Amino acid sequence: MQKNIDPEVIKSVTQLRAALHRHSYRYYVLDDPEISDAEYDRMMQELIRMEANYPDLSSPDSPTLRVGAPPLDKFETVEHSIPMLSLDNGFSDADISEFDLRVKRGLDTDDAILYTAEPKLDGVAVELVYENGRLISASTRGDGFRGELITSNVRTIRSVPMVLETGKGRKNPSLIEVRGEVFIGKEGFKRLNDRRLDQNLPPFANPRNAAAGSLRQLDSRVTAERPLEVFFYGIGRIGDLDLESHGDTLQALKELGFRINPNIRSKITIEAAIDCYRDLSERRNLLPYDIDGMVIKVDSLRFQRILGATSRSPRWAIAYKFKAIQETTQIADIEVQVGRTGTLTPVAHLVPVKIGGVTVGRATLHNEDEIKRKDIKIGDTVLVQRAGDVIPEVVKVITSKRTGKERTFNMPLSCPVCDSSVIRSENEAALRCINTSCPAQVKERIKHFASKGAFDIDGLGEKLIEQLVDKDLLFSYADIFQLKEDMLKNLERMGSKSAGNIVREIEDSKRITLHRFIYALGIRHVGEHVAGILANALKSFDKLRCAKSDELVAIDGVGPVVAESIVEFFKKNENQKIVYDMMTSGVQIFQDNADKQDTLAGKIFVLTGTLETLTRSEAKRAIEEAGGKVSGSVSRNTDYLVAGASPGSKLKRAEELGVNIIDEETLKKLMTEGIHQAGIGGQE
Ligand code: IVH
């Protein structure tokens, strides 16, 4: 720094930088911010202003470089002082036991070996070099020996420390090379692709490609706009750090300010590592980022040195890969399905393929525009993905496998089930069959009516409903209440006993809360959430039935499209008749909370993570039945965030805003005792 600059200015700049480093560390690494985003931005603007006024004060570790540096013409390359090796893969418990045996043989011992188990991030490997506590360079893995220098790009990643932490009396190591995985989380990926679609840019195929593409930008200002994150998992050369185990390494890295994955288990036996794998593969969908397996590493660094490496990979580590969630297969045909509200959805019939242990024979193609965008033809070889509970979908066509025999698919000009006309409304990607009596629509409407969040009629499943409609025993959901035992008992897979049970189930379902009733009607755009809002605001079905559009729009959470759809629904004679039939069959709507106390009256809840005993929809229903509201995102109006295991970014947001964070047990306590009795304060 220059001598002729006012020492006060130098002091302010130094203090601002230190404060910004500390706050980004608290926010991005510890997930525990001390100041608001606005305050952080204000400090950053102040530093940018001062650095612009005093260019001599610029510094390679200034937090202002997080926004990117001037573009490069090309990337320089650098040699890794210790090669960045790859990992051997294992695919079964037997492969892992064999690995353990090889390790023991290599160490000439029968004693149990201790390991570390870490999630295997699916991103891009990088190496960062710090000298005297300052980030001086960063590179990609490249071919393992030489990588590309991407220092300016890596500086833009908020969770990368630019200067190291020197707490606990620790002095900065003279040199440390750290290795980790740069990635884009699931939420960041979605936002990034939504933004690209808005800008008419092609979306990225997956988070890994997005991360790789973002890191290899010559203009780091582009990188700065991408939601890149990092977890560190190892070291290259180290100066004066004294370490004995991999667990120690991770702990030391953590203390120096590096972000370490919270799901790492250290000093465990091979059996425990296999258990971890099982646990991780079950929780995989709940993690906010993609992982493709678990890395098992011998914990002792002395043992690691004895075992050494082959030219490709270390003998002390193995990647236990998850079963693929993507596979290639062929599209045998494309069928068009008609949904509850008449929407035509093209569905691919696939040559059956096992993906992640489940055989997949169908994949949704969403709509006509998606088929065109992905250029999907019948006979194409495609990459299919099954992630969690999501319906399998076609990721892309493997065009190199085309033979010329593929056939273009066109959406039908009339409904494939009832042959009525189909329409495509403005601003909608989907075609819809206009015939509300179309058997496909009738079946789907009845399935919806009997489903869990609606009348919840156990035993009245999909197959039975299809038979009943095909045999002209059901024309609308109101007819359900006219079903008699003798009408059911001669159907396929049905006897008098099950027929009797179903009739009893139907009878029991007749007493129903208002919001479930509204949801069951299957009005377009009225899902469980909106049904809850309507029930809460109107408190009576008659009010809903007679409401005018402007009365509905006046309800908080109801927009003009929803309002219009409700008015349209009740205008139709056939719907009026169905509602009348249900009432005369003895359906009784009771007002939500009528026999309960409104223990959560007016309070707004947000749910995140996995709860222990309740599913999301059960928790939502319970909160709403106690008079509370459930919102999808945290805001200043949120009263409580209910956080389960592996919470998402909502937790961070709630902490920032000072929202009360409670667990499932506390939620249950609030519901039974009420806010005040339970003594857990909401925001007033
Ligand atoms: S250790 C010599 N640990 O997997 C050991 N790698 O197939 C090398 N990876 O290039 C890596 N998560 O990009 C290690 N927890 C983890 C990892 C991990 C992801 C990646 C890394 C590496 C590749 C090897």
Side-chain angles (χ1 to χ4, degrees), residues 83-89 118-126 141 179-181 231-234 246 264 292-295 297 312-314 316-317 319 321:
M84 290 179 76
L85 297 179
S86 182
L87 286 169
D88 261 354
N89 290 327
E118 312 176 352
K120 184 171 187 297
L121 270 293
D122 198 10
V124 183
V126 291
R141 175 170 178 267
R179 293 170 176 190
E181 197 83 350
F231 278 124
F232 293 94
Y233 53 67
H246 184 63
I264 295 178
D292 59 352
M294 191 180 84
V295 186
K297 299 174 181 173
R312 215 189 72 87
S313 53
W316 44 264
K321 299 290 283 274

Side-chain angles (χ1 to χ4, degrees), residues 17 21 58-65 133-135 155 162-163:
R17 283 185 187 153
H21 281 313
S58 70
S59 152
D61 55 32
S62 173
T64 54
L65 294 175
R134 285 167 199 281
L135 174 64
R155 279 206 180 98
M162 289 170 110
V163 290

